[in-house]
Amino acid sequence: MLAKVEYGGVQKYIKIPQIDGNFDFQNFLIEVTDKFSLQAQLVTEGVLSLTDTSETEVDADTFDELVKSGVRNFKVGYRQYPITDIAITLDESDSSVIPDTSPSPASLPDPPASPASMPDFTAQSPASSISSDSTIILPTTRNRKRAMKADLDRDEARKRVETALSSNPKGEEIIKEYDQTKTLSVGTRKQMVNILVAEMVETYGRIPPMHVRPTYALGIVTLFPYLQDPYSKRGYEHFYDPQANTGYLAWRLKTVQRNTHDGFRECSRPDFQDSPTTHRESLLTGDQLLGEECREALSIMRHSTDKSVVSEKTRATFDYRQKLVHDQDATASVLDVFPRFLDTAGLIEQDFSMMFGDHVSGRFLARWSSDFKHRVITECQSLPSSPYVDELLAASDLQVENDYGWDSDMSALLLLLHLLPPTSKGQKTPKMSSAQAVNHVVRFIKEGASLTTFLDKVDARQPFLLCIGEQKKKIARFFIVVDQKAIPCNAQTSVAAFDVLFKTHYVFSLSYDEALSAFYTFIQTTIYNIDVGTTKETPRVKELRAKLLQDHYNVTNSQRSEHS
């Protein structure tokens, strides 16, 4: 049978021991001291007192009868002694009792606010501790300090967990779910653990100190008291057990450490990053909205018909959106939280400019046609002849009549894909041809076809460009397709539309399509000049850059020689 026992404001269920069919009072108190981490001599010395909910003291004579009558709720505290703190000094020649003049309470200390800090009654009782040349001080001050420290530890742990959750977009939903249900679903609990472990690793490194880990577990059950385990010693061992190094936090931490183990083992390897998914702060200094202000801005954006208001509120919620897209559990819902991306063109370009600045944002449009397009076409003329390459070369030539293929700019971009074709990732993965990879970059449907029907059949996670028009070379509308949703594009040309497609990866933290990794990496590092030196590049990417830029640098060097 279980009883609910309250100590210092904390409640726990404790099993009531039975001996010969009777509920045993003494053994029950021992269970209480064990559950709340109290010292066992508190029971033997008669320091602890047990009361019912009416504050009536319960003793060994009445305990069994009360439990059998249905009483299941008790409070544990300290017995009140009618004494004051005294100093007892004994001398062989002249024994005397000297009152301690320092102010002190007339009883043992009140219970601390939590079982994390318990009084330490190590001094012997006055009757048994009188000896020659000895002084005895009842330890009220020391116990009060320990209780205060325990309160501070719990408060610090709670604040740490609350801050970590509040700074994460998903954290507010976790707190809201607990407030409504007084519990957390399995999925929500996993999200909470992931957030806290990520914060722990970010603050303390890949292997956080052992003394730090229980703090997060204590903070969880302090912030969410109904998540305490009444059968465990501290109440939080299911989140982290310091003795066994187990629990949800420990398991998640081991997973994170295992996933990053290879990188730590071989420290000599360059620390390459997946550029589109790297978390980036806004370069602009404008105020970013959080908390209630952010929620208010989301509501205004959702209902406003003024595009300037939508743009302004989108800019003000950039940091919140970045946290959302970098949260593994929440990133899929970003277009549900920010639906105006689906009907307001220009928001992707705005976010990208906030990440890198207008200068970087404009590099592709400024450099593609003047510095790269003709060089790509020239380089492709040396490729082995094939119907698809020949068709793209013909379409890229403005002097050749073209009624069925893409326009010159899109044709040149797709020729670049042939210079950086997909590579096989292993024997079990069939190699994709460049012609097949084109569908991962751009697709075409004729004007009048159902966009909804088309989107229902899309199964790609990575974004691609959708062109709608009467012919491939005469496109009326451009869309960026992400997660079976079509984001409108302001672009008037195919090269401008592709510029938005590339930026979509960064705005929504999406890795490049595996088949297009070399293709996009070349554009990223060579044309946009983003994360040069920290992005992993294949030898083919580096070789092509050397070829295409050779003429440019030769001209630059000759000009420098003329001026020198």
Side-chain angles (χ1 to χ4, degrees):
M1 182 176 295
L2 296 177
K4 184 186 291 185
V5 180
E6 179 183 340
Y7 173 79
V10 176
Q11 294 184 342
K12 292 189 176 186
Y13 285 102
I14 299 177
K15 189 174 183 179
I16 307 176
Q18 284 184 281
I19 299 179
D20 298 330
N22 295 320
F23 295 104
D24 188 78
F25 177 74
Q26 198 73 7
N27 285 328
F28 179 66
L29 288 183
I30 293 175
E31 292 286 337
V32 170
T33 60
D34 181 61
K35 186 68 69 173
F36 286 104
S37 300
L38 300 170
Q39 297 200 7
Q41 66 251 40
L42 297 180
V43 177
T44 58
E45 294 178 0
V47 176
L48 284 184
S49 70
L50 193 71
T51 62
D52 61 13
T53 54
S54 65
E55 305 294 339
T56 303
E57 185 170 352
V58 179
D59 56 24
D61 294 331
T62 59
F63 182 71
D64 177 68
E65 186 176 348
L66 283 173
V67 173
K68 289 180 178 178
S69 68
V71 177
R72 302 286 189 276
N73 297 323
F74 299 98
K75 290 185 178 181
V76 64
Y78 300 102
R79 198 176 303 281
Q80 305 295 312
Y81 288 96
I83 61 173
T84 60
D85 289 350
I86 58 175
I88 303 175
T89 303
L90 298 180
D91 187 271
E92 291 182 353
S93 60
D94 184 16
S95 299
S96 60
V97 178
I98 306 173
D100 183 5
T101 58
S102 61
S104 62
S107 63
L108 291 175
D110 292 333
S114 77
S117 176
M118 302 301 164
D120 182 14
F121 289 89
T122 56
Q124 296 176 325
S125 63
S128 62
S129 61
I130 300 178
S131 61
S132 178
D133 297 323
S134 62
T135 301
I136 302 171
I137 303 294
L138 293 181
T140 55
T141 303
R142 178 177 59 186
N143 294 328
R144 186 179 298 109
K145 288 181 178 179
R146 288 191 176 187
M148 291 174 63
K149 184 179 183 302
D151 290 342
L152 292 174
D153 289 344
R154 290 180 67 88
D155 188 54
E156 180 184 351
R158 180 190 62 79
K159 287 181 179 178
R160 176 175 293 181
V161 170
E162 188 174 20
T163 300
L165 295 179
S166 298
S167 62
N168 188 287
K170 206 69 179 178
E172 296 182 1
E173 298 180 17
I174 294 171
I175 296 173
K176 183 178 180 180
E177 178 178 324
Y178 176 84
D179 290 340
Q180 293 176 345
T181 65
K182 300 304 179 187
T183 187
L184 296 178
S185 66
V186 173
T188 303
R189 184 256 299 155
K190 288 181 179 179
Q191 291 173 354
M192 176 185 69
V193 169
N194 290 350
I195 291 171
L196 294 180
V197 169
E199 196 272 343
M200 192 190 310
V201 170
E202 182 179 353
T203 303
Y204 296 98
R206 176 175 170 268
I207 305 178
M210 297 300 291
H211 72 274
V212 167
R213 305 176 191 188
T215 303
Y216 286 82
L218 176 61
I220 291 172
V221 298
T222 306
L223 182 61
F224 306 126
Y226 284 96
L227 300 185
Q228 291 186 72
D229 175 16
Y231 280 8
S232 66
K233 184 177 181 179
R234 298 177 179 86
Y236 59 68
E237 283 83 346
H238 51 309
F239 287 103
Y240 186 80
D241 185 342
Q243 292 181 334
N245 193 27
T246 59
Y248 295 128
L249 292 172
W251 295 335
R252 175 61 182 171
L253 191 56
K254 290 175 183 177
T255 300
V256 172
Q257 292 169 347
R258 183 170 59 250
N259 290 342
T260 58
H261 181 67
D262 291 339
F264 279 84
R265 181 190 302 171
E266 302 184 24
C267 299
S268 60
R269 289 186 176 182
D271 186 18
F272 293 125
Q273 61 183 351
D274 183 11
S275 195
T277 62
T278 300
H279 184 77
R280 304 175 193 272
E281 301 293 337
S282 170
L283 295 180
L284 304 182
T285 58
D287 293 336
Q288 289 293 299
L289 303 179
L290 297 172
E292 189 60 38
E293 290 182 336
C294 182
R295 285 189 286 271
E296 181 180 345
L298 293 178
S299 178
I300 293 174
M301 289 167 57
R302 187 179 294 270
H303 299 99
S304 178
T305 58
D306 189 335
K307 289 187 178 182
S308 63
V309 172
V310 173
S311 177
E312 175 193 346
K313 298 301 180 184
T314 302
R315 182 185 296 271
T317 54
F318 173 85
D319 284 350
Y320 177 83
R321 189 162 49 258
Q322 282 300 295
K323 289 180 179 179
L324 201 65
V325 299
H326 287 93
D327 183 337
Q328 186 177 0
D329 298 316
T331 183
S333 64
V334 63
L335 290 177
D336 296 325
V337 179
F338 292 93
R340 298 314 298 268
F341 275 89
L342 300 175
D343 63 12
T344 307
L347 298 183
I348 291 177
E349 297 95 309
Q350 176 177 282
D351 267 17
F352 190 85
S353 291
M354 291 184 71
M355 290 182 186
F356 298 103
D358 292 337
H359 179 64
V360 174
S361 182
R363 278 179 182 163
F364 182 80
L365 294 181
R367 302 181 65 187
W368 172 253
S369 297
S370 60
D371 295 341
F372 290 94
K373 177 181 175 181
H374 67 282
R375 291 189 173 100
V376 168
I377 295 172
T378 301
E379 187 67 25
C380 284
Q381 290 172 352
S382 62
L383 289 175
S385 178
S386 71
Y388 198 80
V389 171
D390 292 344
E391 178 183 329
L392 290 175
L393 284 172
S396 65
D397 188 347
L398 296 175
Q399 305 300 321
V400 178
E401 188 71 23
N402 171 30
D403 292 330
Y404 302 103
W406 296 102
D407 64 22
S408 177
D409 283 321
M410 181 57 69
S411 297
L413 281 167
L414 298 181
L415 283 171
L416 176 62
L417 181 56
H418 282 74
L419 293 175
L420 296 166
T423 56
S424 177
K425 297 298 181 180
Q427 294 181 353
K428 296 183 178 179
T429 305
K431 184 176 180 179
M432 182 185 298
S433 69
S434 297
Q436 292 171 322
V438 166
N439 268 343
H440 294 237
V441 179
V442 60
R443 301 187 194 183
F444 169 80
I445 60 175
K446 293 203 69 170
E447 189 73 72
S450 172
L451 179 59
T452 302
T453 302
F454 173 84
L455 293 175
D456 288 341
K457 297 178 181 179
V458 170
D459 58 358
R461 162 64 175 160
Q462 269 68 29
F464 63 87
L465 180 62
L466 175 63
C467 304
I468 301 178
E470 291 298 330
Q471 295 178 338
K472 286 184 177 180
K473 68 174 185 179
K474 295 180 180 179
I475 302 301
R477 292 178 293 159
F478 296 98
F479 293 90
I480 309 298
V481 177
V482 180
D483 284 343
Q484 294 185 306
K485 296 181 175 67
I487 300 175
C489 206
N490 262 338
Q492 300 299 312
T493 64
S494 59
V495 69
F498 178 84
D499 178 58
V500 181
L501 170 63
F502 176 86
K503 294 171 178 176
T504 301
H505 294 85
Y506 288 80
V507 170
F508 296 121
S509 186
L510 299 172
S511 296
Y512 300 139
D513 189 304
E514 187 174 349
L516 307 175
S517 178
F519 171 75
Y520 277 127
T521 298
F522 176 87
I523 294 171
Q524 168 202 319
T525 57
T526 307
I527 304 180
Y528 285 96
N529 300 145
I530 294 174
D531 294 338
V532 177
T534 59
T535 299
K536 185 176 182 179
E537 296 178 308
T538 64
R540 189 185 290 263
V541 168
K542 298 177 181 179
E543 179 188 35
L544 180 62
R545 178 168 57 236
K547 287 182 177 180
L548 298 186
L549 296 182
Q550 184 178 20
D551 291 341
H552 171 75
Y553 285 115
N554 285 341
V555 170
T556 302
N557 290 334
S558 63
Q559 290 175 344
R560 288 177 179 172
S561 299
E562 292 174 1
H563 289 291
S564 61

